[in-house]
Amino acid sequence: MADSAQLRNRTALRDAMTAKRFTVRQLASRAGCGKSIIGFLRSGARRSCSPELAAKIAAALEIPTDELFPDEKEGGVN
């Protein structure tokens, strides 16, 4: 498993959150992490997190992990 998971693109998380109507606070609570990490990922200030957190974020949003954090073998980050 990779050391970190890179977001697909700058707006991937924001778009997924908008589709589910999740706030930063709601997603952080569901993913079991701090609001700041979700805020940084959502704003584009940060592009990566641990693979474990990536899986938790995707599960909270009820989408496949690779929709937000593509596997490097699948062509990397846009």
Side-chain angles (χ1 to χ4, degrees), residues 24-46:
V24 168
R25 182 182 306 253
Q26 289 170 321
L27 182 55
S29 176
R30 290 173 186 246
C33 67
K35 295 181 297 187
S36 61
I37 185 68
I38 299 297
F40 288 142
L41 289 167
R42 183 178 179 271
S43 71
R46 185 169 177 167

Side-chain angles (χ1 to χ4, degrees), residues 3-46:
D3 290 346
S4 69
Q6 295 277 331
L7 274 170
R8 180 171 297 280
N9 59 50
R10 220 168 62 97
T11 62
L13 182 59
R14 183 178 341 153
D15 294 345
M17 289 175 65
T18 299
K20 290 288 185 175
R21 298 184 179 179
F22 280 0
T23 65
V24 168
R25 182 182 306 253
Q26 289 170 321
L27 182 55
S29 176
R30 290 173 186 246
C33 67
K35 295 181 297 187
S36 61
I37 185 68
I38 299 297
F40 288 142
L41 289 167
R42 183 178 179 271
S43 71
R46 185 169 177 167

